[in-house]
């Protein structure tokens, strides 16, 4: 099934001293979501933003906020991110012993719930958890930093997941791919079945509006 393409600029690569301007540019380029990378310095080596910044972004925009929690014990912070204005929350399967419980908790707030998998984390997690998810995020770089190179084995993984969802009447679940997506490789990622496309450095290094438009054009050119 062909899913609607959704472009999600990752604010990690934005200019944080002028975040409001960067968000405006994402709107001008007609982005669909804003991807917020939450890092705790434990699950990943980097520390970024928390609910305080998410709540500062919320009133700046009508775009939905796609919060990617790269943190340990995410279940402790779901309510904080919901209050801050998250419309989507993903938690990493690598830190979760009680995925079903956490996904239910996220959904109980009437927002979209997803799981995230590192590049070589087995897809079997996604097979078992899919029916409880609104979206599944496949990392195509090791999480922690923007500007890394796309890991090519993600394409095969994405195709396998997409076929699994189609075969099991789960085609409404979005596939989000995150890391190393650029204007010149986005069509391969869409061909593999992804429809939520996270892009940080590929959008914010240069002309944000033009980059979003080019990214969408290439993504939507896939038959
Ligand atoms: C990496 C983050 C990504 C990152 C993507 O850990 O989850 O969202 O910002 O940035 P690029 O597109 O530059 O790889
Ligand atoms: Zn991310």
């Amino acid at each position: 099934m062909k899913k609607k393409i959704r472009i999600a600029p990752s604010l990690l690569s934005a200019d944080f001293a002028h975040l409001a301007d960067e968000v405006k540019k994402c709107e001008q380029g007609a982005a669909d979501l804003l991807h917020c990378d939450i890092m705790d310095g434990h699950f990943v080596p980097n520390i970024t933003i928390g609910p305080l910044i998410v709540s500062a972004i919320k009133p700046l925009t009508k775009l939905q906020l796609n919060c990617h929690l790269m943190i340990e014990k995410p279940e402790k912070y779901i309510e904080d991110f919901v209050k801050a204005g998250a419309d989507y929350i993903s938690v990493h399967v690598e830190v979760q012993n009680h995925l079903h419980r956490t996904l239910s908790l996220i959904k109980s707030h009437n927002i979209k719930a997803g799981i995230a998998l590192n590049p070589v984390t087995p897809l079997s997690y996604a097979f078992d958890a899919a029916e409880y998810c609104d979206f599944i995020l496949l990392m195509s770089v090791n999480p922690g930093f923007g500007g890394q190179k796309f890991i090519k084995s993600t394409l095969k993984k994405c195709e396998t997941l997409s076929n699994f969802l189609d075969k099991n009447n789960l085609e409404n679940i979005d596939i989000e791919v995150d890391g190393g997506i650029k204007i010149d490789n986005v069509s391969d990622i869409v061909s593999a079945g992804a429809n939520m496309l996270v892009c940080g450095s590929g959008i914010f290094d240069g002309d944000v509006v033009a980059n979003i438009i080019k990214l969408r054009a290439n993504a939507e050119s896939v038959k």
Side-chain angles (χ1 to χ4, degrees):
M1 193 192 83
K2 200 158 181 330
K3 297 171 183 167
K4 191 174 170 336
I5 295 292
R6 287 196 285 154
I7 308 289
S10 161
L11 293 175
L12 187 60
S13 294
D15 176 355
F16 271 75
H18 300 96
L19 208 44
D21 296 337
E22 298 282 58
V23 167
K24 264 274 117 64
K25 289 182 202 161
C26 293
E27 289 188 341
Q28 282 164 13
D32 298 284
L33 303 164
L34 291 176
H35 184 86
C36 303
D37 286 303
I38 317 299
M39 305 187 192
D40 66 352
H42 292 278
F43 175 59
V44 287
N46 201 0
I47 301 177
T48 56
I49 63 169
L52 184 67
I53 302 293
V54 174
S55 64
I57 296 168
K58 188 68 179 174
L60 300 177
T61 183
K62 288 203 171 66
L63 298 178
Q64 294 198 307
L65 303 184
N66 173 222
C67 291
H68 175 195
L69 304 193
M70 287 161 276
I71 63 176
E72 291 181 355
K73 303 200 189 318
E75 67 281 2
K76 285 175 67 177
Y77 301 96
I78 301 301
E79 280 171 17
D80 292 343
F81 282 101
V82 170
K83 277 196 199 124
D87 300 285
Y88 290 70
I89 293 181
S90 59
V91 296
H92 268 266
V93 303
E94 298 84 0
V95 296
Q96 274 292 302
N97 297 322
H98 303 290
L99 267 180
H100 178 271
R101 183 182 293 155
T102 305
L103 290 166
S104 306
L105 173 64
I106 298 170
K107 285 189 173 186
S108 73
H109 293 285
N110 291 319
I111 65 165
K112 307 274 187 207
I115 55 169
L117 280 72
N118 281 342
V120 297
T121 296
L123 260 184
S124 51
Y125 281 97
F127 297 153
D128 282 0
E131 63 182 293
Y132 310 110
C133 293
D134 297 300
F135 65 104
I136 295 171
L137 187 166
L138 298 180
M139 286 305 304
S140 40
V141 297
N142 290 298
F145 301 94
Q148 302 181 77
K149 199 170 174 297
F150 184 82
I151 296 173
K152 283 217 166 120
S153 58
T154 311
L155 293 175
K156 182 93 207 5
K157 194 171 178 180
C158 187
E159 226 174 274
T160 308
L161 176 61
S162 178
N163 289 336
F164 171 85
L165 296 178
D166 283 350
K167 280 197 193 114
N168 289 279
N169 295 323
L170 295 168
E171 59 277 340
N172 290 334
I173 297 173
D174 290 311
I175 301 181
E176 180 172 24
V177 172
D178 182 5
I181 299 187
K182 308 279 180 196
I183 290 163
D184 61 7
N185 66 1
V186 70
S187 57
D188 298 339
I189 297 154
V190 173
S191 298
N195 69 306
M196 280 170 75
L197 306 160
V198 179
C199 179
S201 49
I203 285 177
F204 289 100
D205 292 358
D207 183 334
V208 174
V209 176
N211 286 339
I212 296 172
I213 292 170
K214 283 186 208 153
L215 198 72
R216 182 186 300 284
N218 284 358
E220 290 182 349
S221 70
V222 175
K223 295 283 168 248

